[in-house]
Amino acid sequence: MDDRAARRRLETQMEAFLSSGMAQHEADELFRLVAELCPDRLDFREVCENLYDGIHITDGEGKVLFINKAYTRTTGIRPEDVLGRRVSDIETEGKLYRGSVTAQVLERRERVNSVATILGLNKEVLVTGTPVFGFDGAIKMVVTNTRDFPELKRLEQQLLTLTEESRKAHEELAYLRRQQAGDKQLSYRSAAMQSVMSLIQTVAPTDVTVLITGESGTGKELVANELYQQSDRRGKPFIKVNCAAIPSELLESELFGYEEGAFTGAKRAGKAGMFELANTGVILLDEIGDMPLPLQAKLLRVLQQRELVRLGGSRVVKLDIRVIASTNKDLREQVRQGGFREDLYYRLNVVPVALKPLRERKEDIVYLADQFCRNFDKKYGKDAHISPGGMELLLEYPWPGNIRELENLVERIVVTSSGAVINRDSVFAALSPGGLRFGGDGQEGATLKRQVAAFEREVILHTIEREGSLRRAARALGVDHSTLVKKRRQYEIEEARPDSR
């Protein structure tokens, strides 16, 4: 029997039931007939009985054919009280709704939504009545679903709560991403850094892999932040991994993740690695030169195929990710010595960004020192500035720790300063804790003669600044005034000025 013939047979039998009035056992027969049309032989009565909403079905004249358990739970109306009876009669007895939705559906021949009050219980419910039409266009049934209004209010409040929690979670995530990306900006005045920034602006919008090299403290992480902030992936995950800070035995699972049972102590559900967490975004592999050789092969696969397999697993995880790497090591030399894979080096070094040390871009020293000073003034409620003499001393220092060392030193001298001017004396004391001195000309390997000359010059400058005049400085050093004049000329020391302190 085809579907059309089966439907006609069902129509005929349903009309017979509906015209004669339907008892509970006849309703059961109706559901059996409906089930015949379903290829999977679903029991529609069982389906209705397990719905959360109350279901109320009448025929085309408003006679009740079926109610489910949820309807009884919501309204308090039992099947034996209403089956086979007209809705209008039940409403008159005060057992149903005020303003029957079924009657409105039969009259308007369309779906009707209404907030109704259950007579006798003074309880509000949300009612939706839907007409079911036969082949002849007449309404054969009206199916009404009923939901407890207080329950809807509870669900609405729950939805509002979840929405608010979701909003807060998104705000926190955005905040954490901003923190991860860093709020520090690259500050510079040197031509070397201007060249670096020009390169960053060119490559940032692309997904090209970038290798940032430079000594510790030169600002490699800030360059990575700029690449992220100026890229199309801004606002998406930005994960930073310090390959030197994580023990080698844990680094693989942290980077690539693991499946359940991969090793003793593994989480039951497994764990996503840093690459998966950074998916659709950017990952920074800091101190990439410290990555163990066995992991370098797995990293190469990620770079080549943009996919990975978790530790202890077999499922391939596809990645949409940009990789930035940084190191303070000479990777070329590591490749030559066998400590770094040559193929990985070339994969990482697509666009190299080399940062010069601070001692080779002295234009940035004064600018950065002044900026740090103003920042820490604001942070600690100070109003200090570094004198020209102090700045001159900062320019002579070799800065082995680069920008990080400069920032820490300025913070120290701002915090410990007692006046508005941070003079050469204060800077000298900060640079020479415990009486230690730095080498001549700011260069490593300076000869003894050059270092002694640099030390002598510094002592003379320090004393002149402290005493305020050349004559008093000569007296304090125990030398003739003429000797100190010669030394001043020899070392090209300017005469003491009030603002040089």
Side-chain angles (χ1 to χ4, degrees):
M1 182 185 300
D2 60 23
D3 285 349
R4 186 173 181 81
R7 288 180 183 276
R8 290 188 182 279
R9 173 172 170 267
L10 177 61
E11 286 279 336
T12 301
Q13 291 178 301
M14 284 180 63
E15 286 177 0
F17 285 132
L18 295 175
S19 61
S20 62
M22 186 175 293
Q24 184 69 51
H25 71 280
E26 293 173 319
D28 292 340
E29 179 64 13
L30 173 63
F31 279 102
R32 185 189 65 76
L33 290 171
V34 173
E36 285 186 11
L37 293 180
C38 179
D40 295 328
R41 296 296 189 267
L42 286 176
D43 186 340
F44 281 85
R45 172 178 291 280
E46 184 178 359
V47 172
C48 289
E49 290 292 7
N50 285 281
L51 292 175
Y52 182 80
D53 287 355
I55 301 297
H56 172 275
I57 302 175
T58 69
D59 64 14
E61 296 180 354
K63 189 181 298 181
V64 180
L65 304 178
F66 171 79
I67 63 173
N68 68 353
K69 293 176 183 177
Y71 185 87
T72 300
R73 184 189 69 239
T74 302
T75 65
I77 297 172
R78 298 174 299 174
E80 57 266 28
D81 295 333
V82 295
L83 287 178
R85 304 182 61 194
R86 293 180 183 278
V87 169
S88 56
D89 296 335
I90 301 169
E91 184 178 349
T92 302
E93 295 174 3
K95 293 182 179 179
L96 204 58
Y97 312 125
R98 181 182 294 110
S100 170
V101 169
T102 300
Q104 296 180 55
V105 172
L106 291 172
E107 179 182 352
R108 294 161 56 179
R109 297 175 58 81
E110 64 182 12
R111 178 176 295 171
V112 175
N113 294 297
S114 176
V115 176
T117 302
I118 300 175
L119 299 175
L121 295 179
N122 196 30
K123 181 180 182 181
E124 285 189 327
V125 290
L126 179 65
V127 184
T128 299
T130 304
V132 178
F133 296 94
F135 284 108
D136 58 0
I139 296 178
K140 299 299 182 181
M141 288 187 292
V142 176
V143 180
T144 303
N145 72 303
T146 303
R147 176 163 291 184
D148 194 344
F149 205 77
E151 176 65 9
L152 286 175
K153 285 290 187 182
R154 186 189 68 80
L155 292 174
E156 180 183 21
Q157 185 58 48
Q158 185 177 358
L159 177 61
L160 289 174
T161 301
L162 291 173
T163 301
E164 178 63 16
E165 289 178 354
S166 177
R167 182 188 66 80
K168 290 181 178 179
H170 277 88
E171 288 180 355
E172 290 175 5
L173 180 59
Y175 170 77
L176 290 173
R177 283 179 176 171
R178 287 194 300 271
Q179 291 296 105
Q180 183 75 337
D183 55 1
K184 291 184 178 180
Q185 301 295 318
L186 273 173
S187 299
Y188 56 90
R189 282 294 180 271
S190 64
M193 285 305 299
Q194 288 175 8
S195 176
V196 166
M197 284 303 298
S198 177
L199 178 59
I200 289 174
Q201 291 166 3
T202 300
V203 303
T206 72
D207 276 343
V208 66
T209 302
V210 177
L211 177 62
I212 308 168
T213 58
E215 295 180 4
S216 294
T218 49
K220 296 187 294 296
E221 187 173 339
L222 293 182
V223 169
N225 291 344
E226 285 291 336
L227 285 166
Y228 169 76
Q229 295 289 3
Q230 296 187 36
S231 74
D232 294 336
R233 295 177 183 262
R234 179 180 179 180
K236 295 180 179 180
F238 184 27
I239 304 298
K240 299 178 181 179
V241 184
N242 189 320
C243 300
I246 303 175
S248 57
E249 61 271 16
L250 299 179
L251 186 57
E252 180 177 8
S253 62
E254 287 297 312
L255 282 176
F256 304 103
Y258 58 82
E259 297 290 358
E260 178 181 353
F263 52 84
T264 303
K267 290 183 179 180
R268 180 170 297 179
K271 179 184 175 183
M274 297 295 189
F275 279 108
E276 288 183 69
L277 294 178
N279 203 18
T280 74
V282 179
I283 188 168
L284 169 62
L285 300 175
D286 193 17
E287 305 300 348
I288 189 69
D290 292 286
M291 177 174 284
L293 274 171
L295 290 190
Q296 293 179 22
K298 294 195 70 171
L299 175 59
L300 186 63
R301 176 179 179 177
V302 172
L303 293 175
Q304 290 176 330
Q305 303 177 22
R306 289 299 192 265
E307 64 183 29
L308 60 80
V309 176
R310 288 185 182 182
L311 186 64
S314 57
R315 180 175 62 92
V316 175
V317 179
K318 295 292 184 180
L319 296 173
D320 171 20
I321 197 171
R322 182 180 191 175
V323 177
I324 301 173
S326 63
T327 182
N328 60 2
K329 295 186 176 181
D330 185 346
L331 292 187
R332 286 182 179 273
E333 181 61 22
Q334 283 191 271
V335 169
R336 192 183 67 81
Q337 295 180 2
F340 202 85
R341 291 179 62 109
E342 185 175 17
D343 48 4
L344 177 58
Y345 170 72
Y346 288 119
R347 278 287 177 180
L348 292 171
N349 198 43
V350 179
V351 175
V353 176
L355 301 182
K356 290 187 176 182
L358 193 56
R359 62 181 173 272
E360 293 182 20
R361 42 188 176 105
K362 291 184 179 291
E363 307 99 303
D364 291 334
I365 294 176
V366 174
Y367 176 73
L368 288 171
D370 182 64
Q371 187 176 70
F372 291 149
C373 190
R374 284 186 279 108
N375 291 343
F376 292 125
D377 275 349
K378 182 178 180 180
K379 180 177 180 179
Y380 296 112
K382 298 274 189 172
D383 185 21
H385 67 276
I386 303 173
S387 72
M391 284 292 188
E392 182 183 0
L393 191 56
L394 294 180
L395 288 169
E396 295 173 0
Y397 186 68
W399 299 110
N402 292 290
I403 299 172
R404 186 181 297 118
E405 183 182 9
L406 174 60
E407 183 176 17
N408 291 340
L409 180 129
V410 172
E411 183 174 16
R412 182 163 68 250
I413 58 180
V414 167
V415 169
T416 57
S417 66
S418 56
V421 178
I422 300 172
N423 57 29
R424 189 182 185 93
D425 191 13
S426 298
V427 175
F428 184 82
L431 286 172
S432 309
L436 297 176
R437 303 292 184 262
F438 50 89
D441 295 338
Q443 301 293 329
E444 294 182 5
T447 64
L448 177 62
K449 182 178 180 180
R450 291 177 65 185
Q451 293 194 56
V452 169
F455 177 75
E456 185 178 45
R457 182 180 188 276
E458 189 55 47
V459 169
I460 293 172
L461 276 168
H462 175 69
T463 307
I464 292 174
E465 184 169 327
R466 186 188 65 207
E467 297 297 329
S469 75
L470 199 64
R471 193 171 298 279
R472 285 196 297 270
R475 189 181 307 118
L477 291 171
V479 297
D480 292 336
H481 176 259
S482 59
T483 301
L484 201 55
V485 169
K486 292 177 182 179
K487 292 288 186 182
R488 180 177 63 79
R489 291 172 180 168
Q490 176 186 344
Y491 296 127
E492 298 180 346
I493 299 173
E494 295 181 4
E495 293 188 31
R497 300 186 305 273
D499 64 346
S500 68
R501 295 178 62 84

